[in-house]
Amino acid sequence: MDAGVPARRRREMAAATSGAGRCRLSKVGAGRRPPPARVRVAVRLRPFVDGAAGENDTPCVRGLDSCSLEIANWRNHQETLKYQFDAFYGERSSQQDIYAGSVQPILRHLLEGQNASVLAYGPTGAGKTHTMLGSPEQPGVIPRALMDLLQLTREESAEGRPWALSVTMSYLEIYQEKVLDLLEPSSGDLVIREDCRGNILIPGLTQKPITSFADFERHFLPASRNRTVGATRLNQRSSRSHAVLLVKVDQRERLAPFRQREGKLYLIDLAGSEDNRRTGNKGLRLKESGAINTSLFVLGKVVDALNQGLPRVPYRDSKLTRLLQDSLGGSAHSILIANIAPERRFYLDTVSALNFAARSKEVINRPFTNESLQLHVLAPIKLSKKELLGPSEAKRARGPEEEETGSPEPPAAPSSASQKLSPLQKLNSMDPAMVERLLSLDRLLGSQGSQGTPLLSTPRRERMVLMKTVEAKDLEIERLKMKQKELEAKVLAQEAADPKEKENYSPTMLRPLARRTVTVAKPLKKAVVMPLQLIQEQAAYPNAEIHILKKKGRKRKLESLDASEPEEKGEDCWELQISPELLARGRQKILDLLNEGSARDLRSLQRIGQKKAQLIVGWRELHGPFSQVEDLERVEGISGKQMESFLKANILGLAAGQRCGPS
């Protein structure tokens, strides 16, 4: 069927079919991902620096039209290399041409809550700083952009507009892989972070609010003098760092749903790549140029990785690319202004800059609106019953009793119809600024034809049911109050008739107690465990006086609130009583065991272990027998407290006939 169709025609048809399929896929995915926006690239060719040199030297670059240029081919002098970009500005182009043609169109995206960035790229001495800053006679991109942006924010935040805008600025430089705050030079090296939403931020970076161009100059001009510059063979004031001016535009919606938007503008003046053989850098300048060339090399790697679709983009390999993560392959509308020089001695640098610009225009960004909702801006307004209903509905909702017995209200001060029907009159406890916003919103609704409609959106039928329920509850409360008054009057009448029985007729009246006593709980009785030998001996000799526990009664006073009338109450308690004969018998048995017993026999005593038993035997061999039990304190390692606990633990069992020594 396709035999009559040429092969070239079939390939074109297949390409068109595949292209249409790709368009359909991108259209379907547009709802899920932001639409793509390619990085726009503009090239600016500066004029010859020295007029005399320009007469003798022919330029190596020539513009063809407003978008393309050509440069000599170093491999074949008979041919030229052609480049095509989004814009080309020749030697006679002015600062206004570059700003109006490339930079000014992206400022409107900031008012939509999107990000934008402008980068000046090129070799050293190509005019990057002049393009970004300019001079008092010919202002550059930065002053022109700030002037227009502040004018736009003033117009958009005027009274009656739905958005309120504010502008802040920050200025920093990246010098030898250190992020320095130019507005606050003493802050030191700052870190670059990334929040949960993927936004790049720098904690601790100074932000200055600006409302006019005079405010911008007051902060920017001193900060520009803090930037690191140095003299080389090619430039007396060569930039030794990458300078980044960050301008934030915050927007807050005045009406519901009170959305918030944030747009960021990056104005970046990159340091130029340097050939140290031509610049003559030595020492510190050589170290600075090494850091600059390294960061620009990483910038080229990032662009190549984005164009090739590699899974890893080396943003983190340099502070510059980390900060430009939003501008290249991120969510910003980016403009790259490549500055080149016409002199032939800059030929290699010019070719390198053009190749980088050609690769950069293939980078795809996906800008989106940074928008969020500001919840709970307004405090809940508590409206009264009369404010919930209109004037006619409130009159119908009142019952006949309220109309007859209700107290007349004082006449209100004369006011306009909108103020009379407005539910925002009793807001004295709120913030004055918030009250002003609410009143302006109320006036706006009234001017749109709402005729003072309350801000409550409850249907009328539901409001009527709610009001009837509230009135029924109020009537029930009033009835209970009247019943309470009747009962109180009855009680007072009965007390006046019979004063003696007034307490019997006042069950509902709570009288305070004249005196409250505080009772103390009885202590628990403690049980004492006696040795089995003692119980057996007491059973065998019932007449023996070996009572261990004896019941003893005592009295204790109860504390009361009235200290003049203490109360007493008897209480039973137990105390330990041991007969003197029993104590003497126990002490004698311990003394005999100390003088005659071996180390094994001594270990049968309570609180005597192997070490103490050996000490006792050794002391007895050196000093002779013990004369009394208390001599045990003289043995090394046995203190007075240990002696006391030793007697308490052993004397009772030995006195009762406890078997000591080995069995």
Short mmCIF file of all heavy atoms in Angstrom, two decimals, residues 473-524:
data_model
loop_
_atom_site.label_atom_id
_atom_site.label_comp_id
_atom_site.label_asym_id
_atom_site.label_seq_id
_atom_site.Cartn_x
_atom_site.Cartn_y
_atom_site.Cartn_z
N LYS A 473 -35.02 27.42 76.68
CA LYS A 473 -34.07 27.23 77.78
C LYS A 473 -34.09 28.43 78.73
O LYS A 473 -34.01 28.27 79.95
CB LYS A 473 -32.67 27.03 77.21
CG LYS A 473 -32.51 25.78 76.36
CD LYS A 473 -32.71 24.52 77.17
CE LYS A 473 -32.48 23.28 76.31
NZ LYS A 473 -32.70 22.02 77.08
N ASP A 474 -34.19 29.63 78.18
CA ASP A 474 -34.25 30.82 79.03
C ASP A 474 -35.50 30.81 79.91
O ASP A 474 -35.45 31.17 81.11
CB ASP A 474 -34.22 32.08 78.17
CG ASP A 474 -32.88 32.25 77.47
OD1 ASP A 474 -31.90 31.63 77.93
OD2 ASP A 474 -32.82 32.99 76.47
N LEU A 475 -36.63 30.40 79.36
CA LEU A 475 -37.87 30.32 80.16
C LEU A 475 -37.74 29.29 81.27
O LEU A 475 -38.22 29.51 82.40
CB LEU A 475 -39.05 29.99 79.25
CG LEU A 475 -39.45 31.09 78.24
CD1 LEU A 475 -40.57 30.60 77.35
CD2 LEU A 475 -39.88 32.36 78.97
N GLU A 476 -37.13 28.16 80.99
CA GLU A 476 -36.94 27.14 82.01
C GLU A 476 -36.04 27.65 83.14
O GLU A 476 -36.31 27.40 84.33
CB GLU A 476 -36.32 25.90 81.36
CG GLU A 476 -36.09 24.72 82.32
CD GLU A 476 -37.39 24.11 82.81
OE1 GLU A 476 -38.44 24.35 82.16
OE2 GLU A 476 -37.36 23.41 83.83
N ILE A 477 -35.01 28.39 82.79
CA ILE A 477 -34.13 28.96 83.82
C ILE A 477 -34.88 29.97 84.68
O ILE A 477 -34.73 30.00 85.91
CB ILE A 477 -32.90 29.59 83.15
CG1 ILE A 477 -32.03 28.50 82.50
CG2 ILE A 477 -32.08 30.39 84.15
CD1 ILE A 477 -30.88 29.03 81.69
N GLU A 478 -35.68 30.81 84.05
CA GLU A 478 -36.46 31.78 84.81
C GLU A 478 -37.45 31.09 85.75
O GLU A 478 -37.67 31.53 86.89
CB GLU A 478 -37.19 32.72 83.85
CG GLU A 478 -36.27 33.65 83.06
CD GLU A 478 -35.56 34.63 83.97
OE1 GLU A 478 -36.08 34.94 85.06
OE2 GLU A 478 -34.45 35.06 83.60
N ARG A 479 -38.07 30.00 85.27
CA ARG A 479 -39.02 29.28 86.13
C ARG A 479 -38.33 28.68 87.35
O ARG A 479 -38.84 28.75 88.47
CB ARG A 479 -39.69 28.18 85.31
CG ARG A 479 -40.83 27.46 86.03
CD ARG A 479 -41.41 26.38 85.15
NE ARG A 479 -40.42 25.34 84.89
CZ ARG A 479 -40.14 24.37 85.76
NH1 ARG A 479 -40.77 24.33 86.94
NH2 ARG A 479 -39.25 23.46 85.46
N LEU A 480 -37.15 28.13 87.15
CA LEU A 480 -36.41 27.56 88.28
C LEU A 480 -35.99 28.65 89.27
O LEU A 480 -35.99 28.44 90.49
CB LEU A 480 -35.19 26.81 87.76
CG LEU A 480 -35.48 25.54 86.96
CD1 LEU A 480 -34.19 24.94 86.42
CD2 LEU A 480 -36.21 24.51 87.82
N LYS A 481 -35.63 29.81 88.76
CA LYS A 481 -35.27 30.90 89.66
C LYS A 481 -36.46 31.35 90.51
O LYS A 481 -36.33 31.62 91.71
CB LYS A 481 -34.72 32.06 88.85
CG LYS A 481 -33.33 31.83 88.27
CD LYS A 481 -32.84 33.05 87.53
CE LYS A 481 -31.44 32.82 86.96
NZ LYS A 481 -30.94 34.02 86.22
N MET A 482 -37.63 31.43 89.90
CA MET A 482 -38.82 31.83 90.65
C MET A 482 -39.17 30.79 91.72
O MET A 482 -39.55 31.13 92.85
CB MET A 482 -39.99 32.00 89.69
CG MET A 482 -39.83 33.18 88.72
SD MET A 482 -39.72 34.77 89.59
CE MET A 482 -41.34 34.83 90.35
N LYS A 483 -39.02 29.51 91.39
CA LYS A 483 -39.31 28.47 92.36
C LYS A 483 -38.34 28.53 93.54
O LYS A 483 -38.74 28.34 94.70
CB LYS A 483 -39.21 27.11 91.67
CG LYS A 483 -39.67 25.95 92.55
CD LYS A 483 -39.68 24.65 91.76
CE LYS A 483 -40.15 23.50 92.64
NZ LYS A 483 -40.17 22.22 91.88
N GLN A 484 -37.08 28.82 93.25
CA GLN A 484 -36.11 28.94 94.34
C GLN A 484 -36.45 30.11 95.26
O GLN A 484 -36.33 30.02 96.48
CB GLN A 484 -34.71 29.11 93.76
CG GLN A 484 -33.62 29.18 94.82
CD GLN A 484 -32.25 29.37 94.23
OE1 GLN A 484 -32.13 29.53 93.02
NE2 GLN A 484 -31.23 29.34 95.07
N LYS A 485 -36.86 31.22 94.68
CA LYS A 485 -37.26 32.36 95.51
C LYS A 485 -38.45 32.04 96.39
O LYS A 485 -38.53 32.45 97.55
CB LYS A 485 -37.56 33.55 94.61
CG LYS A 485 -36.33 34.14 93.93
CD LYS A 485 -36.70 35.33 93.07
CE LYS A 485 -35.45 35.91 92.40
NZ LYS A 485 -35.80 37.07 91.54
N GLU A 486 -39.43 31.28 95.86
CA GLU A 486 -40.58 30.89 96.67
C GLU A 486 -40.17 30.01 97.83
O GLU A 486 -40.66 30.18 98.97
CB GLU A 486 -41.59 30.17 95.78
CG GLU A 486 -42.26 31.07 94.74
CD GLU A 486 -43.20 30.29 93.85
OE1 GLU A 486 -43.31 29.06 94.05
OE2 GLU A 486 -43.80 30.91 92.94
N LEU A 487 -39.29 29.05 97.60
CA LEU A 487 -38.84 28.18 98.69
C LEU A 487 -38.08 28.97 99.75
O LEU A 487 -38.26 28.74 100.96
CB LEU A 487 -37.95 27.08 98.12
CG LEU A 487 -38.65 26.03 97.24
CD1 LEU A 487 -37.63 25.06 96.67
CD2 LEU A 487 -39.69 25.26 98.06
N GLU A 488 -37.25 29.90 99.33
CA GLU A 488 -36.53 30.71 100.32
C GLU A 488 -37.48 31.57 101.14
O GLU A 488 -37.31 31.72 102.36
CB GLU A 488 -35.51 31.59 99.58
CG GLU A 488 -34.36 30.82 98.97
CD GLU A 488 -33.41 31.72 98.22
OE1 GLU A 488 -33.72 32.92 98.12
OE2 GLU A 488 -32.36 31.23 97.74
N ALA A 489 -38.50 32.13 100.53
CA ALA A 489 -39.48 32.93 101.28
C ALA A 489 -40.25 32.07 102.27
O ALA A 489 -40.54 32.49 103.40
CB ALA A 489 -40.44 33.61 100.30
N LYS A 490 -40.60 30.83 101.87
CA LYS A 490 -41.32 29.92 102.78
C LYS A 490 -40.47 29.56 103.99
O LYS A 490 -40.95 29.51 105.13
CB LYS A 490 -41.72 28.67 102.00
CG LYS A 490 -42.59 27.71 102.79
CD LYS A 490 -42.99 26.54 101.91
CE LYS A 490 -43.86 25.56 102.72
NZ LYS A 490 -44.26 24.40 101.89
N VAL A 491 -39.18 29.30 103.76
CA VAL A 491 -38.29 28.95 104.88
C VAL A 491 -38.15 30.12 105.84
O VAL A 491 -38.17 29.95 107.07
CB VAL A 491 -36.92 28.53 104.32
CG1 VAL A 491 -35.90 28.41 105.44
CG2 VAL A 491 -37.04 27.19 103.59
N LEU A 492 -38.01 31.32 105.32
CA LEU A 492 -37.90 32.49 106.20
C LEU A 492 -39.16 32.70 107.02
O LEU A 492 -39.10 33.08 108.20
CB LEU A 492 -37.59 33.72 105.35
CG LEU A 492 -36.22 33.74 104.67
CD1 LEU A 492 -36.09 34.98 103.79
CD2 LEU A 492 -35.11 33.73 105.70
N ALA A 493 -40.31 32.45 106.43
CA ALA A 493 -41.57 32.61 107.18
C ALA A 493 -41.69 31.58 108.29
O ALA A 493 -42.14 31.90 109.40
CB ALA A 493 -42.75 32.49 106.20
N GLN A 494 -41.28 30.33 108.02
CA GLN A 494 -41.34 29.30 109.07
C GLN A 494 -40.35 29.59 110.19
O GLN A 494 -40.64 29.33 111.35
CB GLN A 494 -41.05 27.94 108.44
CG GLN A 494 -42.16 27.44 107.53
CD GLN A 494 -41.82 26.12 106.88
OE1 GLN A 494 -40.71 25.64 107.02
NE2 GLN A 494 -42.79 25.54 106.15
N GLU A 495 -39.16 30.11 109.87
CA GLU A 495 -38.21 30.46 110.92
C GLU A 495 -38.74 31.58 111.81
O GLU A 495 -38.52 31.60 113.02
CB GLU A 495 -36.88 30.87 110.29
CG GLU A 495 -36.11 29.72 109.68
CD GLU A 495 -34.81 30.18 109.08
OE1 GLU A 495 -34.58 31.40 109.07
OE2 GLU A 495 -34.02 29.32 108.64
N ALA A 496 -39.43 32.53 111.23
CA ALA A 496 -40.00 33.62 112.03
C ALA A 496 -41.13 33.12 112.93
O ALA A 496 -41.30 33.62 114.05
CB ALA A 496 -40.51 34.73 111.11
N ALA A 497 -41.91 32.11 112.48
CA ALA A 497 -43.02 31.61 113.28
C ALA A 497 -42.53 30.73 114.43
O ALA A 497 -43.05 30.82 115.55
CB ALA A 497 -43.99 30.82 112.39
N ASP A 498 -41.57 29.85 114.24
CA ASP A 498 -41.08 28.93 115.27
C ASP A 498 -39.56 28.93 115.24
O ASP A 498 -38.93 28.15 114.52
CB ASP A 498 -41.62 27.52 115.01
CG ASP A 498 -41.38 26.61 116.21
OD1 ASP A 498 -40.78 27.09 117.20
OD2 ASP A 498 -41.78 25.43 116.14
N PRO A 499 -38.91 29.80 116.03
CA PRO A 499 -37.43 29.86 115.98
C PRO A 499 -36.75 28.59 116.47
O PRO A 499 -35.63 28.29 116.09
CB PRO A 499 -37.09 31.05 116.87
CG PRO A 499 -38.37 31.82 117.01
CD PRO A 499 -39.48 30.83 116.92
N LYS A 500 -37.45 27.80 117.38
CA LYS A 500 -36.80 26.62 117.94
C LYS A 500 -36.60 25.52 116.90
O LYS A 500 -35.66 24.75 116.98
CB LYS A 500 -37.62 26.07 119.12
CG LYS A 500 -37.70 27.04 120.29
CD LYS A 500 -38.50 26.41 121.41
CE LYS A 500 -38.60 27.37 122.61
NZ LYS A 500 -39.38 26.77 123.72
N GLU A 501 -37.51 25.41 115.98
CA GLU A 501 -37.45 24.33 115.01
C GLU A 501 -37.01 24.84 113.64
O GLU A 501 -37.37 24.27 112.62
CB GLU A 501 -38.82 23.66 114.89
CG GLU A 501 -39.29 23.04 116.19
CD GLU A 501 -40.66 22.38 116.03
OE1 GLU A 501 -41.20 22.44 114.89
OE2 GLU A 501 -41.16 21.81 116.99
N LYS A 502 -36.28 25.92 113.62
CA LYS A 502 -35.89 26.47 112.33
C LYS A 502 -34.89 25.58 111.58
O LYS A 502 -34.87 25.56 110.37
CB LYS A 502 -35.29 27.86 112.51
CG LYS A 502 -34.03 27.89 113.38
CD LYS A 502 -33.55 29.31 113.54
CE LYS A 502 -32.30 29.35 114.45
NZ LYS A 502 -31.82 30.73 114.61
N GLU A 503 -34.13 24.80 112.38
CA GLU A 503 -33.18 23.93 111.71
C GLU A 503 -33.88 22.77 111.03
O GLU A 503 -33.39 22.23 110.06
CB GLU A 503 -32.14 23.43 112.70
CG GLU A 503 -31.25 24.54 113.25
CD GLU A 503 -30.18 23.99 114.17
OE1 GLU A 503 -30.21 22.75 114.37
OE2 GLU A 503 -29.36 24.76 114.66
N ASN A 504 -35.03 22.33 111.59
CA ASN A 504 -35.75 21.21 111.00
C ASN A 504 -36.46 21.58 109.70
O ASN A 504 -36.79 20.73 108.91
CB ASN A 504 -36.77 20.65 111.98
CG ASN A 504 -36.10 20.13 113.24
OD1 ASN A 504 -34.95 19.70 113.18
ND2 ASN A 504 -36.80 20.19 114.36
N TYR A 505 -36.69 22.87 109.50
CA TYR A 505 -37.43 23.30 108.32
C TYR A 505 -36.53 23.92 107.25
O TYR A 505 -37.01 24.61 106.39
CB TYR A 505 -38.50 24.33 108.71
CG TYR A 505 -39.58 23.76 109.59
CD1 TYR A 505 -39.55 23.96 110.96
CD2 TYR A 505 -40.61 23.00 109.03
CE1 TYR A 505 -40.54 23.44 111.76
CE2 TYR A 505 -41.60 22.47 109.85
CZ TYR A 505 -41.57 22.70 111.21
OH TYR A 505 -42.53 22.19 112.01
N SER A 506 -35.30 23.70 107.38
CA SER A 506 -34.37 24.25 106.37
C SER A 506 -33.44 23.15 105.85
O SER A 506 -32.26 23.18 106.07
CB SER A 506 -33.55 25.40 106.94
OG SER A 506 -32.82 24.94 108.06
N PRO A 507 -34.03 22.15 105.22
CA PRO A 507 -33.15 21.08 104.72
C PRO A 507 -32.32 21.52 103.53
O PRO A 507 -31.31 20.91 103.25
CB PRO A 507 -34.15 19.99 104.32
CG PRO A 507 -35.40 20.71 103.99
CD PRO A 507 -35.46 21.90 104.91
N THR A 508 -32.78 22.53 102.84
CA THR A 508 -32.02 22.94 101.64
C THR A 508 -30.92 23.93 101.96
O THR A 508 -30.09 24.20 101.10
CB THR A 508 -32.97 23.56 100.61
OG1 THR A 508 -33.60 24.70 101.21
CG2 THR A 508 -34.03 22.57 100.18
N MET A 509 -30.91 24.50 103.13
CA MET A 509 -29.89 25.49 103.49
C MET A 509 -28.70 24.78 104.12
O MET A 509 -28.86 24.09 105.12
CB MET A 509 -30.47 26.52 104.46
CG MET A 509 -31.70 27.26 103.93
SD MET A 509 -31.33 28.25 102.48
CE MET A 509 -30.34 29.50 103.26
N LEU A 510 -27.56 24.94 103.58
CA LEU A 510 -26.33 24.34 104.10
C LEU A 510 -25.66 25.31 105.05
O LEU A 510 -25.33 26.43 104.66
CB LEU A 510 -25.39 23.98 102.95
CG LEU A 510 -25.92 22.93 101.97
CD1 LEU A 510 -24.91 22.73 100.85
CD2 LEU A 510 -26.21 21.63 102.68
N ARG A 511 -25.51 24.90 106.30
CA ARG A 511 -24.88 25.76 107.30
C ARG A 511 -23.45 25.27 107.53
O ARG A 511 -23.20 24.08 107.60
CB ARG A 511 -25.66 25.73 108.62
CG ARG A 511 -27.09 26.23 108.47
CD ARG A 511 -27.83 26.13 109.79
NE ARG A 511 -29.19 26.61 109.67
CZ ARG A 511 -29.56 27.88 109.78
NH1 ARG A 511 -28.63 28.79 110.02
NH2 ARG A 511 -30.81 28.24 109.65
N PRO A 512 -22.55 26.16 107.75
CA PRO A 512 -21.16 25.74 108.03
C PRO A 512 -21.04 25.14 109.41
O PRO A 512 -21.73 25.55 110.34
CB PRO A 512 -20.37 27.05 107.91
CG PRO A 512 -21.36 28.12 108.18
CD PRO A 512 -22.69 27.63 107.64
N LEU A 513 -20.21 24.14 109.55
CA LEU A 513 -20.00 23.50 110.84
C LEU A 513 -19.27 24.44 111.78
O LEU A 513 -18.36 25.16 111.39
CB LEU A 513 -19.19 22.22 110.65
CG LEU A 513 -19.86 21.13 109.78
CD1 LEU A 513 -18.91 19.95 109.63
CD2 LEU A 513 -21.18 20.68 110.39
N ALA A 514 -19.73 24.41 113.07
CA ALA A 514 -19.12 25.29 114.06
C ALA A 514 -17.70 24.85 114.39
O ALA A 514 -16.83 25.66 114.65
CB ALA A 514 -19.96 25.33 115.34
N ARG A 515 -17.51 23.54 114.40
CA ARG A 515 -16.18 23.03 114.74
C ARG A 515 -15.96 21.70 114.03
O ARG A 515 -16.84 20.84 114.03
CB ARG A 515 -16.07 22.85 116.24
CG ARG A 515 -14.68 22.40 116.70
CD ARG A 515 -14.65 22.20 118.18
NE ARG A 515 -15.59 21.14 118.57
CZ ARG A 515 -15.85 20.82 119.83
NH1 ARG A 515 -15.30 21.50 120.80
NH2 ARG A 515 -16.70 19.85 120.11
N ARG A 516 -14.82 21.59 113.44
CA ARG A 516 -14.46 20.35 112.75
C ARG A 516 -13.25 19.75 113.44
O ARG A 516 -12.25 20.42 113.67
CB ARG A 516 -14.14 20.61 111.28
CG ARG A 516 -15.32 21.11 110.48
CD ARG A 516 -14.92 21.35 109.05
NE ARG A 516 -14.42 20.13 108.44
CZ ARG A 516 -13.87 20.09 107.24
NH1 ARG A 516 -13.70 21.21 106.55
NH2 ARG A 516 -13.46 18.94 106.75
N THR A 517 -13.38 18.47 113.83
CA THR A 517 -12.28 17.79 114.51
C THR A 517 -11.52 16.95 113.50
O THR A 517 -12.09 16.40 112.56
CB THR A 517 -12.82 16.87 115.62
OG1 THR A 517 -13.71 15.92 115.03
CG2 THR A 517 -13.56 17.70 116.66
N VAL A 518 -10.25 16.90 113.73
CA VAL A 518 -9.36 16.10 112.88
C VAL A 518 -8.92 14.89 113.67
O VAL A 518 -8.27 15.02 114.71
CB VAL A 518 -8.13 16.93 112.44
CG1 VAL A 518 -7.23 16.07 111.57
CG2 VAL A 518 -8.59 18.18 111.71
N THR A 519 -9.33 13.74 113.23
CA THR A 519 -8.98 12.50 113.93
C THR A 519 -7.76 11.89 113.29
O THR A 519 -7.54 12.00 112.09
CB THR A 519 -10.15 11.51 113.87
OG1 THR A 519 -10.44 11.22 112.50
CG2 THR A 519 -11.39 12.09 114.53
N VAL A 520 -6.98 11.23 114.15
CA VAL A 520 -5.76 10.58 113.70
C VAL A 520 -5.99 9.08 113.67
O VAL A 520 -6.52 8.52 114.64
CB VAL A 520 -4.56 10.92 114.61
CG1 VAL A 520 -3.29 10.25 114.12
CG2 VAL A 520 -4.40 12.43 114.71
N ALA A 521 -5.64 8.42 112.59
CA ALA A 521 -5.86 6.98 112.46
C ALA A 521 -4.98 6.21 113.45
O ALA A 521 -3.88 6.63 113.78
CB ALA A 521 -5.55 6.53 111.03
N LYS A 522 -5.53 5.10 113.92
CA LYS A 522 -4.79 4.28 114.88
C LYS A 522 -3.61 3.62 114.17
O LYS A 522 -3.74 3.15 113.05
CB LYS A 522 -5.69 3.20 115.46
CG LYS A 522 -6.83 3.75 116.29
CD LYS A 522 -7.66 2.60 116.84
CE LYS A 522 -8.82 3.10 117.68
NZ LYS A 522 -9.63 1.99 118.23
N PRO A 523 -2.46 3.57 114.83
CA PRO A 523 -1.33 2.86 114.21
C PRO A 523 -1.57 1.36 114.20
O PRO A 523 -2.24 0.82 115.08
CB PRO A 523 -0.15 3.24 115.11
CG PRO A 523 -0.77 3.57 116.42
CD PRO A 523 -2.11 4.18 116.12
N LEU A 524 -1.09 0.71 113.20
CA LEU A 524 -1.27 -0.73 113.09
C LEU A 524 -0.46 -1.44 114.16
O LEU A 524 0.65 -1.04 114.49
CB LEU A 524 -0.82 -1.20 111.70
CG LEU A 524 -1.62 -0.63 110.52
CD1 LEU A 524 -1.02 -1.13 109.22
CD2 LEU A 524 -3.08 -1.05 110.62
#
